[in-house]
Amino acid sequence: MAPFLAYEDKGADSPLLPLVLVHGHPFDRTMWTPQLEAFAPARRVIAPDLRGYGASPVHLGVTHLSRFAEDIRELLDALAVDAFVLAGLSMGGQIAMECYDRFGDRVRGLVLADTFPTAETAAGKVARRETADRLLAEGMRGYADEVLEKMVAPYADPEVKAHVHRMMTSTSPEGAAAALLGRAERPDYRALLTRVTAPALVVVGADDEFTPVADAEAMHAALPHSELCVIDGAAHMPNLERPQEFNAALGAFLERVDAEAARGTAGSLGAVDGGR
């Protein structure tokens, strides 16, 4: 069966773990272009357009994080990807947490960028519902104009700003509204973080107003096997604003996860040999 989601699947066959990248709201898979370019030469990199975003079909009504997670599971099943490193930014980080809750046995490394694990507050639910109504009534442009310099820092490169604005204005209002309504009902992932057994990397832009450094520090404290990377000169999208720094942190993390996976495989083979 053909996958439901549109996606990028780049990189040659490699013994290294595939990297799965989950974009945020209201973006699409092109937000990961610097990471696809950096990591696809050595490993398989998969970046889907979430339901309602980019070239994937629009879902009307409400899209819960659980639905996004199941879409990703179905895509990875269709692509025969069993074990992988999972990275998500903002809403994508919350979807990554939901994925870990549902099929964490397949996740060998978890990257949470510019995100937070708590359930929505009462005021936050009202705000998300109001924004969803506004997007349906007015479209994306006014919203995109207002939040652009919170998504990326005011001092960000003009080309980065243009890319982020273009992604936002190209997003389906119906898809974005459905996701906002779903996020309003999201669960609290804080207890889940304490049970994550995979290595984790928490990344945040130093000037992020949506998910400030304090949120990243709290996740780092909750995760049993985590590292924290604060990227200077970036706001909510350090992977685009400071791709070299982001890729350096992600690359070092991937090397450690690959090494751990290789040791685990060698240990398993040793156990089999020892029983002969």
Side-chain angles (χ1 to χ4, degrees):
M1 185 174 67
F4 176 83
L5 301 179
Y7 61 94
E8 294 281 352
D9 183 3
K10 293 189 173 180
D13 244 359
S14 167
L16 302 178
L17 287 162
L19 173 63
V20 179
L21 301 168
V22 186
H23 68 75
H25 162 91
F27 309 123
D28 57 50
R29 67 184 189 262
T30 67
M31 69 160 274
W32 295 114
T33 297
Q35 287 68 53
L36 283 157
E37 292 175 351
F39 296 106
R43 73 178 68 235
R44 190 177 187 183
V45 184
I46 299 163
D49 279 335
L50 295 170
R51 176 185 295 246
Y53 296 87
S56 288
V58 173
H59 181 74
L60 302 178
V62 181
T63 308
H64 292 98
L65 296 187
S66 57
R67 180 64 265 170
F68 286 127
E70 287 303 317
D71 286 344
I72 291 170
R73 188 211 298 259
E74 291 165 13
L75 173 63
L76 295 176
D77 287 348
L79 297 177
V81 175
D82 182 38
F84 50 89
V85 176
L86 180 62
L89 184 143
S90 192
M91 180 180 76
Q94 294 171 337
I95 294 168
M97 289 183 254
E98 181 70 25
C99 289
Y100 192 90
D101 193 34
R102 290 171 174 267
F103 46 97
D105 57 318
R106 297 168 66 174
V107 178
R108 299 294 183 265
L110 182 64
V111 182
L112 301 175
D114 299 83
T115 190
F116 62 101
T118 54
E120 193 58 272
T121 63
K125 289 183 179 183
V126 171
R128 289 197 189 276
R129 290 166 184 159
E130 288 178 347
T131 303
D133 289 342
R134 176 191 174 186
L135 297 183
L136 291 172
E138 300 177 8
M140 298 297 295
R141 181 165 294 276
Y143 170 79
D145 291 345
E146 288 176 17
V147 303
L148 177 60
E149 291 195 346
K150 289 181 70 176
M151 293 295 188
V152 295
Y155 51 77
D157 184 284
E159 290 186 10
V160 171
K161 283 187 177 182
H163 179 193
V164 172
H165 192 266
R166 185 168 57 251
M167 285 191 291
M168 290 194 285
T169 55
S170 298
T171 293
S172 156
E174 292 81 9
L180 285 168
L181 294 174
R183 286 179 80 193
E185 305 302 325
R186 69 180 180 274
D188 192 318
Y189 296 108
R190 286 177 291 183
L192 170 71
L193 294 183
T194 67
R195 302 193 300 270
V196 171
T197 57
L201 172 65
V202 179
V203 186
V204 66
D207 295 332
D208 192 340
E209 294 182 37
F210 285 124
T211 56
V213 172
D215 288 350
E217 291 172 339
M219 288 194 299
H220 171 51
L223 287 156
H225 312 289
S226 69
E227 305 164 38
L228 174 64
C229 177
V230 179
I231 297 182
D232 291 329
H236 194 55
M237 302 185 72
N239 71 300
L240 282 173
E241 297 172 86
R242 291 289 182 268
Q244 287 185 318
E245 293 86 341
F246 185 94
N247 289 349
L250 178 55
F253 177 72
L254 289 170
E255 286 182 10
R256 288 189 285 274
V257 174
D258 288 332
E260 188 168 306
R263 284 196 298 271
T265 301
S268 298
L269 292 173
V272 172
D273 291 342
R276 287 178 181 169

